[in-house]
Amino acid sequence: TAKNDANEQSAKPQPALTVEQARLVVDAAPNVATKVLLAMTWLCAGRAGDATQLRKEDIVFSSICETTRFQAVRILVRRGKAAKLAQPHTIYSIVPPHWKAVIDEYCAAIEPSRPLFTRASERDWGKLSAAITTALRTAGPQFGQRALRRGALQTLAADPSVDLATLRTFSGHTGDDMLLRYLNWGLQSNRQAALAQRAARNLFPGLETLKPPAAETTAEEETVTMEDEPDDGISTSSEEA
């Protein structure tokens, strides 16, 4: 039926940016404002519309350790769709040094209580939206604004130690249904795959002695060394929108 055809169509995997494509898109943004908006959307794995409502005081950076120039960032989501659906909440992420430099440059003249992006007019807002679309299309004509958020969530979900509850702190979803849509109905959730495969071994008695799937390995006892990104990342020479 037409309804079944529509459901089948909606269940097809949708375009999502990879890490490399996300970096390309941010680098390709035509001005600093667009670079910052795209970077914040990826860091939060959130909606671009929610990122536009962040204020300078909502974003706090801190050092991780002496061996890396990456910085930790704490982002308080108090406005936008995510705050309405999941209540105000805090996102913890990390930011590479070249993105941090762009954000610092853009925020330097903004008062702490002021929005990072001011909707002075619908025409100006239309220019910013068009700049976002132009930057996304450098990665491919199939990518729309949701591809950035979808790609960030799928990248996070690829780590088998990241559960759905953690993903929801980024996505702002109150339940798993919509989150799983962003993960292509769980296809990109390695954590859920590991748990399901562990449970499925009960269907075949005797398999419990086999080596567990690689996806079950967690990062709890592993030490991760974070190396610096190259300095030839985002250019900060573009004019602000």
Side-chain angles (χ1 to χ4, degrees), residues 3-14 185:
K3 182 177 180 180
N4 289 336
D5 290 342
N7 289 337
E8 181 179 352
Q9 181 68 28
S10 67
K12 291 184 178 180
Q14 299 299 308
W185 286 264

Side-chain angles (χ1 to χ4, degrees), residues 34-76:
T34 308
K35 291 179 190 292
V36 172
L37 180 55
L38 290 168
M40 294 305 301
T41 301
W42 180 264
L43 295 177
C44 294
R47 302 173 181 85
D50 289 347
T52 63
Q53 300 193 49
L54 291 172
R55 303 194 178 195
K56 186 177 179 179
E57 63 187 4
D58 296 331
I59 305 169
V60 178
F61 296 99
S62 61
S63 175
I64 297 177
C65 63
E66 295 181 355
T67 60
T68 179
R69 289 185 297 132
F70 275 76
Q71 290 204 14
V73 58
R74 185 186 71 211
I75 304 164
L76 179 58

Side-chain angles (χ1 to χ4, degrees), residues 23-36 38 131-132 134-136 138 234-235 238-239:
R23 290 174 175 172
L24 173 66
V25 165
V26 175
D27 288 347
N31 51 64
V32 177
T34 308
K35 291 179 190 292
V36 172
L38 290 168
I132 293 172
T134 298
L136 286 166
T138 62
I234 304 171
S235 169
S238 300
E239 295 181 358

Side-chain angles (χ1 to χ4, degrees), residues 113-231:
S113 61
R114 300 292 297 172
L116 294 185
F117 305 92
T118 302
R119 187 176 297 196
S121 68
E122 291 299 327
R123 181 178 179 181
D124 291 340
W125 200 250
K127 289 181 179 179
L128 180 58
S129 180
I132 293 172
T133 299
T134 298
L136 286 166
R137 294 298 165 82
T138 62
Q142 72 273 30
F143 295 115
Q145 291 192 17
R146 288 186 181 180
L148 195 66
R149 168 171 163 85
R150 187 178 290 112
L153 288 171
Q154 291 182 11
T155 300
L156 292 169
D159 183 341
S161 70
V162 178
D163 59 16
L164 294 180
T166 301
L167 291 173
R168 288 198 305 271
T169 66
F170 282 90
S171 70
H173 293 124
T174 55
D176 293 339
D177 291 349
M178 185 56 68
L179 172 59
L180 289 174
R181 289 175 65 92
Y182 277 88
L183 302 180
N184 288 332
W185 286 264
L187 188 63
Q188 268 72 35
S189 180
N190 277 7
R191 175 70 170 182
Q192 297 310 111
L195 294 174
Q197 288 166 356
R198 177 187 296 173
R201 277 179 281 161
N202 293 312
L203 299 173
F204 301 94
L207 292 184
E208 64 275 3
T209 59
L210 295 180
K211 183 179 179 180
E216 291 185 8
T217 304
T218 67
E220 293 176 356
E221 298 180 357
E222 295 181 0
T223 301
V224 177
T225 302
M226 194 179 304
E227 298 180 354
D228 288 336
E229 287 283 308
D231 291 329

